[in-house]
Amino acid sequence: MFGISSLGTVSVEEIGSTIRTPKLFQLYFHKDRGLTNSMIERCIAANFDVLALTVDTITGGNRERDLRTGFTSPPRLTLRSLLSFALHPRWAVNYFSHEKFELPQLKDHVKEGSNVSVSVSDYFSTMLDQSMNWQDAESVRKKWGKQFCLKGIMSVADAKRAVEIGATAIMVSNHGGRQLDGSRSPFDQLAEIVDAVGDKIDVICDGGIARGTHVLKALSVGAKACSGGRFYLYALAAAGQAGVERALKNLYAEIERDMKLMGCRSVDQLSRDNLRFR
Amino acid sequence: MFGISSLGTVSVEEIGSTIRTPKLFQLYFHKDRGLTNSMIERCIAANFDVLALTVDTITGGNRERDLRTGFTSPPRLTLRSLLSFALHPRWAVNYFSHEKFELPQLKDHVKEGSNVSVSVSDYFSTMLDQSMNWQDAESVRKKWGKQFCLKGIMSVADAKRAVEIGATAIMVSNHGGRQLDGSRSPFDQLAEIVDAVGDKIDVICDGGIARGTHVLKALSVGAKACSGGRFYLYALAAAGQAGVERALKNLYAEIERDMKLMGCRSVDQLSRDNLRFR
Amino acid sequence: MFGISSLGTVSVEEIGSTIRTPKLFQLYFHKDRGLTNSMIERCIAANFDVLALTVDTITGGNRERDLRTGFTSPPRLTLRSLLSFALHPRWAVNYFSHEKFELPQLKDHVKEGSNVSVSVSDYFSTMLDQSMNWQDAESVRKKWGKQFCLKGIMSVADAKRAVEIGATAIMVSNHGGRQLDGSRSPFDQLAEIVDAVGDKIDVICDGGIARGTHVLKALSVGAKACSGGRFYLYALAAAGQAGVERALKNLYAEIERDMKLMGCRSVDQLSRDNLRFR
Amino acid sequence: MFGISSLGTVSVEEIGSTIRTPKLFQLYFHKDRGLTNSMIERCIAANFDVLALTVDTITGGNRERDLRTGFTSPPRLTLRSLLSFALHPRWAVNYFSHEKFELPQLKDHVKEGSNVSVSVSDYFSTMLDQSMNWQDAESVRKKWGKQFCLKGIMSVADAKRAVEIGATAIMVSNHGGRQLDGSRSPFDQLAEIVDAVGDKIDVICDGGIARGTHVLKALSVGAKACSGGRFYLYALAAAGQAGVERALKNLYAEIERDMKLMGCRSVDQLSRDNLRFR
């Protein structure tokens, strides 16, 4: 399934018209309710299948690496980034000859959606609605009406609450470990959450997936699926579209091969008997 | 809350007249009872709020780093320190143009309080009263009469005893790990002590606090507060007053941000459910 | 006991005529049933004692090191291997003056058995029968009729199944850790398998054996014997036949010495009381 | 208490006449019963207090470092040791101007006791009696008649047997980790042995003691005393007699200081409550 973020650089309309596989939109809940609602409506119009409401970023995390490097989306020119451009000429040529990055989900509503760079941390802190609560999540679900996922659940209590407001799935996720330092890995939290709500809702393990066996371990614990960002982003950064296709093909081959080696013909045969913890 | 040690280089009177926030005095129990009593009286006069009797230093620890570097307070000139001055000219200029360090809590009573340097190890071994016992601690509490804390409790048995002599708080502390090698970290001892006396006395986690999540972990275990020395001292050494203000501001921001990300509105909502040990 | 693989470079006939000690043939189950059957028949004719059917390689593992180095059997000339030859002249002279490597168990049946190099990964994937099932294993046992071992069992369920189809032994093995990444070490799986079937079948610990104490630990858990490949292969690579003889002599001496130091006169006295896990 | 080995370079008679503190003789059980008996008799005559029969060296361990360096006692001249002499001229002058090393406990009985060097491994393997059994140990105890210790007990079963043959103490020891690779540290085995026989026999923790807290930890588990070799040998190698005196003084000071910091006035107050394992 293909996912696109509220901060994505391609519009939901373009994706809706070019992608035939199931589509997921990762919604950030903005102070500007008009913006939030417009995103939901555009996703409905573009025939998206799943809405994943991000619930772990009501404020930006203390992303110390970003503070150090000054990460913004799109990139901002600094002395340091100029130096980096000079040292990576092919990347720089590619970057400057490329059409300008935009944040098309945001651009009609806010300055930050224009090509003026803003740090992700500032974006979260200034534009997102820190008062978002369970009622808000439920009203988004009702407005949306289709498969509805909460992204960023890490506790049994919140997983149960997700069931109560009618979510059809949760992503067990710590936002790539970039929001709350010291938070556990999603995989480590998976078992207790699956035990509590696994029979009522789809539990998705988000984060840390880099190999076929990682997927098989998560499914063995009881996840219904896995999701990830770095997995395809590293491949994208290294080799563009070809890199992503290669990474996905490798992952598929690994899952198939590893299941054969585990003596499994179907994911139904994956269970905690396959795992030993230490 | 601001704390000042018996070995502090600013007098309790000056602090009493300049600091408006709650004030804690860290008392060392001296062989010279006149000195000990005079400190208590000066703290009462200077309107201090809390007296913290240090109970983990009846003898100096085997501070091997200090033995190697020859640490004294104030610093003593050696060939090595002269070299260090030469290599850090700005620091040296600052040091020599600064008014002389004094130990104003001690200077009217003992040679070691004058500007003659003494190693911290020798100070503990020669000036402090190794025979200090629970009756002494109780008599200090009575003389003081206000909030009374024992600093350096590491066992359930001693925590219970602290309750019996009328202490209103204990600091679970191993004196920065510099007294007894192989002692556990305060955080690791916290749970059993909170379980034993947490409902009768304020348990404070002292040591190892460097980030907001460290504070939140200690509070989640059941500490009422945290305290620390290196946290502000490193900032002080790096950037003076501005550094300390920056460090405190960062810590405050981290605690606030992390609580939002944990979905907590109040410290009352922090509990051991937030923690997983391994 | 001496073991030879389906991929061995010496024929079972030659081994049968030169080796007097017990002989084991490691059978790979090929799509070409004629080839599989011919191997069994040749082993019977050559008076082999044990047939070990490999059950952990119905597909090649994701051997990333082999992918990187381009490992084939026999070695294939590449620019890189040429460079390596140039840097190791003695090895190269020895290699090129040696008679050509062959895969005599395969050569009459398939192209891959000729001197045309094929990667082990491709071999497993293209020539072995991925549909091999428990009935196939049982029919091999019946055709063979003597001591019959399944090599590559890692779970209690499969160990029980091995008993049911009449195997007389199992090798607890993960194929040297090269098939399924994240698989446990055989030693770690040993106890539960011994507990389940140790009284019905010979359990052999395969893999990781490098010292006498490794053997004694496995026997203490309940293995009947140990087997290994790298143990003699590293010695072979380093010093040829003399190296292997030295390694075996060392291993024998270590087992004898270590049993004396453990106060044991017989392997019957080895038990889990000798072991502490952490 | 001072201990001297069967392989010591000073005679029991000289020690008996110069050392006033309690004296222990570490007996190795030789094939030559005359030698073994003569050692016992000489110890009685020299008024030794304790006989410690070494029971963990009926054969030499696989001391791989010794195999590499060619360790013998006394040292043997090799090209390598000559080079080492040249690089450490002061040590070499001292060595060659010193009277010759002898093994006075052995010299009247065997070639190996003369100044001809022999590797410790060969000594153990050729001269010691591998058939030594519990009856032999009991007969040594009877011949000796005073405090009798078995050195090298590592299991509860052997500790109980030591009680049965009338030993008054055991040293929990793995001979410095040089005999059986993979053996546990004595400290780790201490608790179960103390639990089994601690009320019937003195349990001594031998090995790994380098600091005061190590002694206090062993006593807290239930050891009656600690012993060690490397502790004084490293100091001896570094600074001769003065080094050993300094090391012992440091150890004494550490034990005293650490007990103060633990709030203990007597070793009777040391208990497992002081310890947390992880």
Side-chain angles (χ1 to χ4, degrees), chain B residues 56-62 64 130 179-182 184 189 192, chain D residues 211 213-214 216-217 254 257-262 265 276-278:
Chain B
D56 55 11
T57 51
I58 59 166
T59 184
N62 188 27
E64 289 168 335
Q130 300 202 1
Q179 284 290 93
L180 179 61
D181 64 88
R184 266 189 133 192
Q189 284 296 90
E192 58 188 77
Chain D
R211 312 178 70 95
T213 44
H214 299 169
L216 295 171
K217 285 174 180 174
E254 285 166 19
R257 179 199 302 114
D258 295 341
M259 285 183 66
K260 287 179 188 171
L261 293 173
M262 292 167 74
R265 290 172 181 278
R276 298 293 180 281
F277 293 89
R278 60 172 176 180

Side-chain angles (χ1 to χ4, degrees), chain A residues 13-72:
Chain A
E13 289 76 14
E14 185 178 344
I15 287 168
S17 65
T18 54
I19 307 285
R20 293 279 72 84
T21 55
K23 289 172 284 294
L24 172 150
F25 184 76
Q26 180 184 355
L27 179 67
Y28 285 87
F29 194 79
H30 289 74
K31 284 180 190 163
D32 179 345
R33 298 294 163 97
L35 171 54
T36 302
N37 285 335
S38 120
M39 285 181 181
I40 298 171
E41 286 154 12
R42 288 168 65 187
C43 287
I44 292 172
N47 211 19
F48 271 59
D49 303 274
V50 182
L51 194 73
L53 176 63
T54 313
V55 296
D56 55 11
T57 50
I58 59 167
T59 184
N62 189 27
R63 304 186 180 187
E64 289 168 335
R65 192 161 56 176
D66 293 356
L67 288 174
R68 197 175 170 83
T69 62
F71 171 66
T72 61

Side-chain angles (χ1 to χ4, degrees), chain C residues 50-126:
Chain C
V50 182
L51 194 73
L53 177 63
T54 313
V55 296
D56 55 11
T57 50
I58 60 166
T59 183
N62 189 26
R63 304 185 180 186
E64 290 168 335
R65 192 161 55 177
D66 293 356
L67 289 174
R68 196 174 170 83
T69 61
F71 171 68
T72 60
S73 174
R76 189 162 41 186
L77 285 181
T78 62
L79 194 64
R80 187 184 173 125
S81 59
L82 277 175
L83 181 65
S84 185
F85 284 140
L87 292 172
H88 305 83
R90 219 161 65 146
W91 194 93
V93 167
N94 184 29
Y95 176 69
F96 288 109
S97 62
H98 192 284
E99 55 187 310
K100 282 197 166 188
F101 279 115
E102 286 191 329
L103 302 179
Q105 269 70 254
L106 304 176
K107 71 175 172 181
D108 296 335
H109 282 260
V110 282
K111 185 169 84 40
E112 279 81 357
S114 68
N115 202 40
V116 178
S117 295
V118 64
S119 81
V120 169
S121 177
D122 288 348
Y123 175 83
F124 283 155
S125 298
T126 59

Side-chain angles (χ1 to χ4, degrees), chain D residues 187-218:
Chain D
F187 181 81
D188 287 338
Q189 284 294 91
L190 201 53
E192 57 188 76
I193 290 175
V194 165
D195 288 344
V197 301
D199 56 339
K200 302 184 189 71
I201 201 170
D202 288 341
V203 179
I204 298 164
C205 182
D206 179 70
I209 304 297
R211 312 178 70 95
T213 44
H214 299 169
V215 174
L216 295 171
K217 285 174 180 174

Side-chain angles (χ1 to χ4, degrees), chain B residues 60-114:
Chain B
N62 188 27
R63 302 184 181 187
E64 289 168 335
R65 192 162 56 177
D66 293 356
L67 288 175
R68 198 174 169 84
T69 61
F71 170 66
T72 60
S73 173
R76 190 162 41 187
L77 285 181
T78 63
L79 195 64
R80 187 184 174 127
S81 58
L82 277 175
L83 181 66
S84 185
F85 284 139
L87 292 172
H88 304 85
R90 221 162 64 144
W91 195 93
V93 167
N94 184 30
Y95 176 68
F96 288 109
S97 62
H98 191 283
E99 55 186 312
K100 283 198 167 188
F101 279 116
E102 287 191 328
L103 303 178
Q105 269 68 253
L106 303 177
K107 71 174 170 181
D108 296 335
H109 282 259
V110 282
K111 185 168 85 39
E112 281 80 358
S114 68

